[in-house]
C-alpha cells in the first residue's frame, strides 16, 4: 500500500513538473513588449545615478520637476542588471524561472490539499490556460507578482496546517520579507494584501491571530520603500480610479477584434470554478481561496491584464475541485483519462497558441520589430535636446533607445494622471489640440505610426508645418523633426524625404510620374542604410515593380497577367510584397494585395491567411475584391457572379476597372496552375 502511495505521489509531482515546464516554454519567446523597454530604461537610470530618483526627469510636463514614485524600481534595477551583465537571454531565463516557481507552487498547493490527483488536474489546468495567457507572459515585473501570489497561497496553506509555533513564526517572517520585495517590485502587491485578508476572514478560527499577524506584517512591509507608504497609497488610488481603465488598451475588457479564445478560455475556466464552488465552500482549507477567485475573475473580465492572474492562481482551486468531482473514479481509470487529457493538451495547446498573441516563436533575444528603432537611433546620435511627441508605446521605446530625449507622455500613466493622458490622446485626433499641445511644450520631434489607424492623422498635422521635415520612414513609423532638432552632421546625413510618403496606400506610388518614381528609388536606397525599414522598402519597390500593370488609379490594384512579361513582373512583385506582408501583420492593404497576388499563383493557403488578416478589423474594398479573385480562381463562379453584379449595379461600381475585370473573368475564369 505504501508503495502505491509513493508511486501516486511521484506521478502527481511529475505532472507538476510537466506543467511548470510547459509554462516556462510558453514564456520562452523574444522580448518585444513596449513596457519592457521602459523598465530597462528606468533601471539603467537608477544604476547610473546609484540612487532611486525622487523627481521626474523624463517628461515635458510644464512647471518644476514633479515627484515620481516608481512602483517597480527594484524589478527595474534587477532587470537592467541582468540585461547589462549577461544580455537579454538572462532576462528571459529569469522570467521563465519565475513561471516555473509559479506552476510548482500551484501544483504543490493542490497536492497538499487533496493529494496527487489534485496536482495532476492543476497541471492540466495550467497547460490548458497557455493559449489564452501567453500574451501576458512578457518580460515585465508583473510576472514576479504572479509568482509571489502563488507562493503566498502555498505559504498560507502551510500556516493553516502547521502545529508548531516556530514554524508559524518562520512562515509569517518569510511572507513579511517577500512582501517587502513585492512592494518595491510591482504595484500588484495589493493582491498579496488581499490574499492575506481573505485568509484572515475565512481561514481557520483557531489561527485567526496568526493570519492577523500576516496582515499586520504586510501592512508594515508596505511602508518599507524609498518613498515610504506613498508607494502603496499611490497604488491604491490608481487601482480604484475607474478613469485609468479607459486610457490603456490592456487595462480594458476584451475588444471585438481580439481572438475568440482570449474570451473562451477564461469563460470555460470561470464556468468550471462556478461548478466546484459549493464543494470548495464546504472545505475550510479551500474556503479562503473562493473570494480570491471571485475578485480575480471579476478583474479579468473587466480588464484583460488580469487574465494570467485569474487562470493561474485559481488553477489549484480548479484542480482540487475537479479531483473532488472525480473521486469515485478508480485510480487505473483516472490514470488513463489523465494521460489522454495530458496528451491532448500537449498536442492541442501549441496548435491553438500558434495563431494567438504574441504570435512569437521560441527564443530569448530582444526583438525590435515594430519599434521606431531607426528614428530613435537618429535622435540618440544627432539629436539636440529632443522633445518628443509619440504614442505611449513608442515613447517607452524612445526612453530606452534615446535617453537624451524628453517626452510628452509615456507609459507611466499614474504619474501623468488621467487628465493629462486624455489630453494627449485627444491630440492624436484633432489638429487644434495637437498644435496647442506641441507648441505649448516646444516639441521639436514627432514620431508617428503610419500603419496604426489611431495615429495616421498625426502625419497630416505635422507635414505642412514650416520648418519641419520628414527624415525617416520605417516599417511602421515616421520621424519628423524641426529644423533645430538635429545637429549639423545629422541634418547632412538625413536630408528631408520629399518623394516618399509614410503610407502603405498604393495611390501615391502608382499615380507618381516617372521622375517622382526615380526619386523614390533614390530615397529608398538611403533608407536601406537604416534598420527597421525592410518591409516598407519591399512594399514600395513591389508596387513600383507592378506599376506597369495598374488597372487605373492606385486603389484599383493590378490587372491579371496576360503574357510572359506580365508573369515576370508578377513574380518579382509577389516576392517583394510577400516580404512586406510577413513583417507587417496588421496593415489591411498589404495583406489584401498579398492575398490577390498569392491567388494569381494559386497559393490558396497564403491567400486565405492574408485575407483573414486584411478583414480582421472589418472588410474594406481591397480585401473584398481580393476575396472575389480568390473565389474565382477556386472555381466558385456563381458566388462571384452574384457579388460582382450587385456591386456593378451601384453607381460607383459601373466605372470600377477592378469589377470590370472580375466581370470579364466570369466568362473565362483564370486557370490554375498559372503559366
Amino acid at each position: 500500500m505504501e508503495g502505491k502511495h509513493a508511486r501516486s505521489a511521484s506521478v502527481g509531482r511529475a505532472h507538476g513538473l510537466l506543467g511548470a515546464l510547459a509554462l516556462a516554454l510558453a514564456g520562452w519567446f523574444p522580448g518585444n513588449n513596449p513596457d519592457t523597454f521602459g523598465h530597462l530604461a528606468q533601471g539603467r537610470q537608477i544604476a547610473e545615478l546609484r540612487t532611486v530618483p525622487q523627481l521626474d526627469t523624463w517628461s515635458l510636463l510644464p512647471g518644476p520637476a514633479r515627484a515620481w514614485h516608481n512602483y517597480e524600481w527594484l524589478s527595474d534595477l534587477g532587470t537592467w542588471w541582468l540585461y547589462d551583465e549577461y544580455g537579454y537571454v538572462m532576462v528571459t531565463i529569469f522570467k521563465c524561472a519565475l513561471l516555473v516557481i509559479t506552476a510548482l507552487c500551484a501544483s504543490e498547493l493542490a497536492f497538499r490539499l487533496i493529494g496527487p490527483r489534485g496536482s495532476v488536474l492543476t497541471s492540466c489546468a495550467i497547460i490548458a490556460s497557455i493559449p489564452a495567457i501567453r500574451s501576458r507572459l512578457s518580460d515585465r515585473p508583473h510576472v514576479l507578482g504572479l509568482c509571489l501570489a502563488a507562493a503566498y497561497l502555498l505559504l498560507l496553506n502551510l500556516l493553516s496546517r502547521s502545529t508548531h509555533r516556530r514554524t508559524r513564526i518562520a512562515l509569517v517572517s518569510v511572507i513579511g520579507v517577500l512582501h517587502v520585495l513585492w512592494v518595491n517590485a510591482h504595484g500588484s502587491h495589493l493582491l498579496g494584501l488581499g490574499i492575506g485578508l481573505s485568509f484572515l476572514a475565512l481561514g481557520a478560527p483557531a489561527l485567526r491571530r496568526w493570519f492577523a499577524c500576516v496582515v499586520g506584517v504586510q501592512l508594515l512591509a508596505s511602508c518599507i520603500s524609498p518613498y515610504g507608504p506613498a508607494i502603496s497609497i499611490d497604488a491604491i488610488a490608481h487601482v480604484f480610479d475607474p478613469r485609468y481603465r479607459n486610457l490603456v488598451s490592456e487595462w480594458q475588457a476584451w475588444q471585438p477584434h481580439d481572438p475568440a479564445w482570449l474570451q473562451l478560455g477564461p469563460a470555460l475556466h470561470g464556468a468550471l470554478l462556478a461548478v466546484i464552488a459549493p464543494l470548495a465552500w464546504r472545505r475550510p482549507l479551500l474556503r479562503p481561496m473562493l473570494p480570491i477567485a471571485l475578485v480575480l475573475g471579476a478583474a479579468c473580465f473587466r480588464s484583460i491584464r488580469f487574465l494570467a492572474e485569474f487562470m493561474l492562481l485559481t488553477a489549484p482551486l480548479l484542480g482540487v475541485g475537479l479531483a473532488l468531482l472525480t473521486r469515485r473514479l478508480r485510480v487505473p481509470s483516472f490514470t488513463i483519462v489523465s494521460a489522454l487529457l495530458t496528451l491532448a493538451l500537449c498536442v492541442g495547446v501549441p496548435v491553438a497558441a500558434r495563431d494567438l498573441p504574441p504570435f512569437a516563436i521560441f527564443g530569448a533575444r530582444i526583438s525590435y520589430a515594430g519599434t521606431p528603432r531607426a528614428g530613435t537611433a537618429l535622435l540618440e546620435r544627432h539629436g539636440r535636446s529632443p522633445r518628443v511627441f509619440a504614442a505611449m508605446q513608442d515613447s517607452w521605446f524612445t526612453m530606452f533607445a534615446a535617453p537624451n530625449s524628453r517626452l510628452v507622455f509615456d507609459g507611466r500613466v499614474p504619474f501623468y494622471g488621467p487628465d493629462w493622458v486624455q489630453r494627449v490622446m485627444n491630440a492624436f485626433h484633432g489638429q487644434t489640440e495637437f498644435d496647442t499641445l506641441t507648441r505649448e511644450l516646444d516639441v521639436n520631434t514627432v514620431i508617428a505610426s503610419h500603419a496604426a489607424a489611431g495615429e495616421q492623422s498625426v502625419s497630416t498635422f505635422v507635414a505642412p508645418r514650416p520648418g519641419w521635415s520628414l527624415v525617416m520612414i520605417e516599417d511602421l513609423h515616421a520621424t519628423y523633426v524641426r529644423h533645430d532638432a538635429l545637429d549639423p552632421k545629422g541634418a547632412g546625413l538625413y536630408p528631408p524625404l520629399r518623394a516618399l510618403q509614410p503610407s502603405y496606400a498604393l495611390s501615391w506610388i502608382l499615380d507618381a510620374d516617372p521622375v517622382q518614381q526615380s526619386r523614390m528609388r533614390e530615397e529608398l536606397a538611403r533608407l536601406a542604410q537604416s534598420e527597421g525599414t525592410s518591409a516598407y522598402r519591399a512594399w514600395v519597390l513591389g508596387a513600383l515593380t507592378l506599376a506597369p500593370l495598374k488597372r487605373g488609379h492606385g486603389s484599383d490594384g493590378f490587372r491579371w497577367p496576360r503574357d510572359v512579361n506580365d508573369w515576370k513582373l508578377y513574380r518579382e512583385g509577389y516576392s517583394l510584397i510577400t516580404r512586406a506582408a510577413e513583417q507587417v501583420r496588421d496593415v489591411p492593404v498589404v495583406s489584401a494585395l498579398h492575398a490577390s497576388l498569392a491567388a494569381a499563383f494559386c497559393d490558396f493557403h497564403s491567400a486565405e491567411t492574408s485575407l483573414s488578416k486584411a478583414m480582421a478589423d472589418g472588410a474594406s474594398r481591397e480585401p473584398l475584391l481580393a476575396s472575389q479573385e480568390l473565389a474565382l480562381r477556386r472555381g466558385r463562379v456563381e458566388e462571384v457572379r452574384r457579388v460582382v453584379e450587385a456591386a456593378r449595379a451601384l453607381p460607383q461600381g459601373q466605372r470600377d476597372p477592378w469589377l470590370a475585370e472580375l466581370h470579364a473573368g466570369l466568362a473565362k475564369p483564370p486557370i490554375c496552375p498559372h503559366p
Side-chain angles (χ1 to χ4, degrees):
M1 184 66 70
E2 290 182 3
K4 288 184 178 180
H5 283 304
R7 285 195 298 273
S8 181
S10 298
V11 170
R13 291 208 158 89
H15 264 274
L17 288 171
L18 178 64
L21 176 62
L23 193 61
L25 287 175
W28 187 260
F29 56 82
N32 65 348
N33 190 286
D35 289 24
T36 303
F37 295 111
H39 290 301
L40 284 170
Q42 291 163 185
R44 176 180 58 200
Q45 183 189 54
I46 296 170
E48 291 173 349
L49 295 175
R50 297 181 179 273
T51 186
V52 181
Q54 300 287 324
L55 298 176
D56 163 59
T57 59
W58 299 104
S59 78
L60 285 173
L61 286 174
R66 304 186 186 190
W68 170 40
H69 301 150
N70 183 356
Y71 303 163
E72 296 92 12
W73 75 269
L74 186 57
S75 54
D76 289 351
L77 179 60
T79 303
W80 171 255
W81 179 79
L82 288 173
Y83 173 72
D84 190 45
E85 290 289 328
Y86 304 104
Y88 198 82
V89 63
M90 189 55 68
V91 176
T92 307
I93 289 173
F94 180 69
K95 185 256 311 259
C96 291
L98 292 175
L99 294 175
V100 166
I101 295 171
T102 301
L104 289 178
C105 285
S107 61
E108 181 65 19
L109 174 59
F111 185 93
R112 291 179 175 276
L113 285 169
I114 204 169
R117 188 170 294 198
S119 182
V120 169
L121 292 171
T122 297
S123 175
C124 289
I126 289 171
I127 297 172
S129 71
I130 286 173
I133 69 171
R134 190 170 183 237
S135 63
R136 295 291 304 156
L137 304 182
S138 53
D139 307 323
R140 295 192 287 171
H142 76 282
V143 176
L144 177 59
L146 189 64
C147 177
L148 289 172
Y152 275 31
L153 291 172
L154 177 59
L155 290 170
L156 286 167
N157 177 262
L158 293 175
L159 181 61
S160 300
R161 292 169 171 272
S162 174
T163 57
H164 299 289
R165 179 181 177 83
R166 288 185 179 179
T167 303
R168 291 172 178 173
I169 292 173
L171 289 170
V172 172
S173 301
V174 168
I175 292 174
V177 172
L178 290 178
H179 206 68
V180 172
L181 170 66
W182 198 349
V183 165
N184 290 276
H186 192 243
S188 62
H189 59 86
L190 295 178
L191 172 60
L193 181 59
I195 292 172
L197 289 170
S198 183
F199 274 82
L200 174 61
L202 297 175
L207 295 172
R208 191 150 292 161
R209 67 188 185 93
W210 288 101
F211 292 132
C213 288
V214 168
V215 173
V217 165
Q218 289 177 316
L219 291 172
L220 178 63
S222 299
C223 301
I224 303 175
S225 81
Y227 313 107
I231 198 170
S232 299
I233 295 170
D234 285 0
I236 293 171
H238 165 211
V239 168
F240 290 99
D241 189 337
R243 295 178 296 171
Y244 284 109
R245 197 168 58 252
N246 298 321
L247 299 176
V248 183
S249 58
E250 73 167 24
W251 295 356
Q252 299 169 8
W254 284 268
Q255 304 298 316
H257 60 269
D258 287 331
W261 185 253
L262 294 185
Q263 298 182 48
L264 182 61
L268 290 173
H269 192 93
L272 288 172
L273 285 173
V275 170
I276 62 99
L279 290 173
W281 183 258
R282 291 196 289 269
R283 291 184 168 246
L285 289 176
L286 293 179
R287 199 172 295 157
M289 298 174 66
L290 288 172
I292 300 167
L294 181 62
V295 170
L296 288 175
C300 173
F301 288 101
R302 292 187 68 188
S303 171
I304 198 169
R305 71 181 304 193
F306 294 107
L307 196 152
E309 284 80 357
F310 171 55
M311 298 191 74
L312 290 180
L313 297 179
T314 61
L317 181 60
L318 183 58
V320 172
L322 292 176
L324 290 171
L325 290 175
T326 61
R327 60 185 179 272
R328 294 185 179 179
L329 198 63
R330 294 181 179 272
V331 172
S333 299
F334 177 79
T335 302
I336 294 172
V337 171
S338 62
L340 292 174
L341 176 60
T342 303
L343 179 62
L345 289 172
C346 290
V347 173
V349 164
V351 174
R354 180 184 57 193
D355 296 322
L356 289 170
F359 306 109
I361 60 174
F362 294 122
R365 60 184 174 83
I366 193 167
S367 171
Y368 296 100
T371 65
R373 191 177 186 184
T376 52
L378 168 62
L379 296 180
E380 174 63 9
R381 289 193 297 265
H382 303 292
R384 294 198 295 196
S385 301
R387 302 169 67 84
V388 182
F389 178 93
M392 184 185 301
Q393 66 275 10
D394 300 326
S395 295
W396 265 134
F397 182 77
T398 303
M399 183 186 288
F400 169 75
N404 58 329
S405 303
R406 294 185 67 189
L407 310 161
V408 172
F409 86 140
D410 49 69
R412 300 171 299 155
V413 174
F415 164 71
Y416 287 98
D419 294 333
W420 179 263
V421 176
Q422 187 61 60
R423 183 185 177 192
V424 176
M425 294 176 70
N426 292 340
F428 279 95
H429 307 288
Q431 175 86 58
T432 302
E433 291 84 352
F434 175 83
D435 290 343
T436 301
L437 182 66
T438 54
R439 285 177 178 146
E440 175 185 321
L441 300 179
D442 192 29
V443 167
N444 61 15
T445 304
V446 172
I447 299 175
S449 172
H450 53 87
E455 298 180 45
Q456 290 172 345
S457 299
V458 173
S459 291
T460 65
F461 297 161
V462 70
R465 280 188 172 183
W468 282 75
S469 301
L470 170 66
V471 294
M472 179 59 65
I473 303 176
E474 301 174 65
D475 293 343
L476 298 177
H477 297 89
T479 302
Y480 298 85
V481 296
R482 200 170 63 193
H483 63 86
D484 58 347
L486 301 180
D487 61 29
K489 183 177 180 181
L493 291 172
Y494 297 90
L497 297 169
R498 304 192 187 280
L500 293 174
Q501 295 183 24
S503 169
Y504 280 102
L506 284 169
S507 55
W508 67 270
I509 305 172
L510 301 183
D511 295 343
D513 59 40
V515 174
Q516 290 174 309
Q517 292 186 354
S518 176
R519 290 174 179 167
M520 289 179 194
R521 293 181 184 274
E522 292 174 1
E523 293 183 352
L524 287 173
R526 197 189 90 197
L527 290 182
Q529 301 172 20
S530 300
E531 296 181 281
T533 64
S534 59
Y536 174 79
R537 288 186 288 109
W539 171 257
V540 178
L541 286 173
L544 289 173
T545 300
L546 293 165
L549 304 179
K550 67 177 182 178
R551 288 193 180 97
H553 296 291
S555 61
D556 294 324
F558 305 98
R559 63 175 172 81
W560 299 338
R562 299 170 185 170
D563 53 35
V564 174
N565 290 331
D566 287 359
W567 278 111
K568 181 180 179 181
L569 293 177
Y570 250 66
R571 289 189 186 92
E572 293 176 5
Y574 183 38
S575 176
L576 290 162
I577 299 303
T578 298
R579 190 190 312 166
E582 288 173 349
Q583 295 183 53
V584 290
R585 298 176 56 94
D586 301 321
V587 183
V589 66
V590 176
S591 297
L593 179 55
H594 182 253
S596 182
L597 295 173
F601 285 94
C602 305
D603 184 355
F604 296 137
H605 175 74
S606 296
E608 289 172 348
T609 301
S610 291
L611 273 177
S612 65
K613 295 176 185 175
M615 294 185 174
D617 293 327
S620 56
R621 177 173 177 269
E622 289 88 350
L624 283 172
L625 294 182
S627 70
Q628 298 311 304
E629 287 191 17
L630 176 60
L632 192 60
R633 291 182 184 276
R634 303 206 76 164
R636 301 201 295 266
V637 177
E638 291 307 313
E639 173 189 324
V640 177
R641 187 186 307 278
R642 289 193 296 271
V643 173
V644 170
E645 289 180 353
R648 282 169 62 85
L650 300 172
Q652 62 270 31
Q654 297 171 8
R655 298 182 300 276
D656 191 314
W658 198 340
L659 284 173
E661 188 167 40
L662 281 168
H663 185 262
L666 294 172
K668 188 178 179 181
I671 60 171
C672 283
H674 61 82

